[in-house]
Amino acid sequence: MNDKRIEKEINSEIKRQEETINLIASENIISDDVSITLGSVLSNKYAEGYCNKRYYGGCNIVDNIEEICINRACKLFGVSFANVQPYSGSIANLAVYKALLNIGDAILGMDLSAGGHLTHGYKKSISGSEYKSYFYGLNNNGEIDYENVLQIAKKVKPKLIIAGSSTYSKKIDFLKFRKIANEVGAYLLADISHIAGLIVAGLYQNPCSFADVVTSTTHKTLRGPRGAIILSNNDLIMKKINNAVFPFLQGGPHMNTIAAKAVCFYEAMQKEFIDYQKQVVKNAYLMCEEFKKIGYKIVNGGTDTHMFTINVKEKGVSGFEAEKALEEVGIIVNRNIIFGDKNANDVGGIRIGTPSITTRGFKEKEACKIVFFIDQVLKNIKNDLKKQNIKKEVKKLLKK
Ligand SMILES: Cc1ncc(COP(=O)(O)O)c(C=O)c1O
C-alpha cells in the first residue's frame, strides 16, 4: 500500500481485533468471502435506480447481483419483497417512516433507556424531531408489559408501532405487537437488526408474517457487511419504500456491499450458520447464568438471545469505569444506559454479546473464563497489578 499512514492504522486495528476479546453485541467478524466482495471492483460502479431501471449505463452485471441478493433475502426470511439498498439500519428505519407516515404523525417505540434505538423516536434523532414520538418501557422484572403497551397505544393513537431493540435480551412477542397494532389501527414495524441471525437459524420467532414491514442491519448476528435490508409481503408498501430509499434518502446503491450482502445470505443458508447461531445463544445464556450465580443483576432478568446487559452500578462501578477498566485488560464491551439512569453520560450498565467470540470459536469453557475475568476486573478496578495479571490471562486465552 502506498499510503503508509493508513496502512499502519489498518495493521494496528488488525492487531487490536486479534488481541482483544470482543463482547460488543452489535459487532461480528465477516468471512474472507464477504471481505473480498466488499473490496471488489463492484465498488467502482454507479447504479442509481433499481434492477433494469437504472440511470446509468453498464448495469447489466450489477442488475444480476442485486436480483440474486433480493431473491436470497426473500428466501431466507420467507417474504415476497426486499429492498437491499439501505446503507445502514438508521436509513432503513427512516425509509419506512417516509413511506408510511406524514411529518408530525405519532409513532410508538421502546424507550431508549429500556433498549430502544435512536431511530425509534429519540428526540435528538430525526425520528423524534419530525414525528410525534411516544414510548413504552419495561415492567419491574425488566420485561415488555404488553398490556401496558396496549394502554399507551390506545391513548396516543400511533400510526406506527415499532417492535425491536438494541439491548432487550428476552424474546419479543411479535404476534402480541400485531394484535396491539390491529386494535389501534397502526402499522407494525419489526426492527430485527440484532436478532436477524437468530431468526434465520429458527431460534427466534420470525416477524415477517405479522409485521407490515421488517427492517434489519446485515452486520450484527447476520455476520455480513455493514448495511441493511427492508422486507415486506405488501406490494403497495414496498413500492412506497423503494421510492423512499431511492431517490428520497439515498443516491447510488453501494453495489460492492449489495454483493457482499448476497454472499452473507448464501452463508446464512448453510447448516454451519445454524450451528454457529446455536453456539452464540448457548454462550450468551451460560455467561448470563454465571453472572447471576456470582451476584450480578441482569437488566432483563436473563437472556434468550446473543446478548444481555449487567447492572454494574449496583456493584459501585459506573458503566464508563467498567468499560475503561475492561479495555485495559483486553476485553471490549460497551457501557449501556439502563432503566433509572438520569444521564446518558453516566450510565449503570455494560452490554455483553457473544457473536464475535463465537465466530472465533469460543465455546462454554472460554465463555466461563471471560465471566471470571470481568468479575475480577470489576472487583479490582483500582488495582493495576491485578489488572496486569488478568491481561496476561486474557492473552493466554486468545492464543489457544
Ligand atoms: C435495533 C437497531 N436498529 C437500527 C440500528 C441502526 O443501524 P446502523 O448503525 O447501521 O444505522 C441499530 C444499530 O445499532 C439497532 O440496534
Side-chain angles (χ1 to χ4, degrees), residues 42-60 62-63 66 83 85 87 242-243 245-256 258:
L42 293 165
S43 180
N44 301 338
K45 188 70 198 99
Y46 243 106
E48 275 178 2
Y50 288 101
C51 296
N52 306 313
K53 285 176 277 177
R54 306 283 186 185
Y55 293 88
Y56 284 78
C59 287
N60 52 328
V62 290
D63 274 358
E66 188 161 340
N83 185 309
Q85 293 195 359
Y87 302 148
N242 286 344
N243 286 328
V245 173
F246 175 85
F248 189 79
L249 287 164
Q250 294 191 171
H254 299 171
M255 295 315 305
N256 55 329
I258 290 175

Side-chain angles (χ1 to χ4, degrees), residues 26 88-90 93 117 119-120 165-166 191 193-194 217 219-220:
S26 48
S88 72
S90 300
N93 285 343
H117 187 256
T119 56
H120 295 178
S165 168
S166 299
D191 179 345
S193 289
H194 263 273
T217 54
H219 48 272
K220 297 184 172 87

Side-chain angles (χ1 to χ4, degrees), residues 50 83 86 92 95-100 212-215 230-232 234-246:
Y50 288 101
N83 185 309
V96 176
Y97 304 157
K98 167 65 188 165
L100 301 180
D212 297 288
V213 190
V214 174
T215 53
I230 307 175
L231 311 166
S232 181
N234 185 314
D235 185 15
L236 277 178
I237 288 180
M238 209 59 202
K239 278 192 183 123
K240 289 185 191 168
I241 283 173
N242 286 344
N243 286 328
V245 173
F246 175 85

Side-chain angles (χ1 to χ4, degrees), residues 68-82:
I68 293 168
C69 189
I70 290 170
N71 289 339
R72 285 184 185 166
C74 288
K75 193 170 167 204
L76 205 53
F77 291 94
V79 288
S80 308
F81 308 102

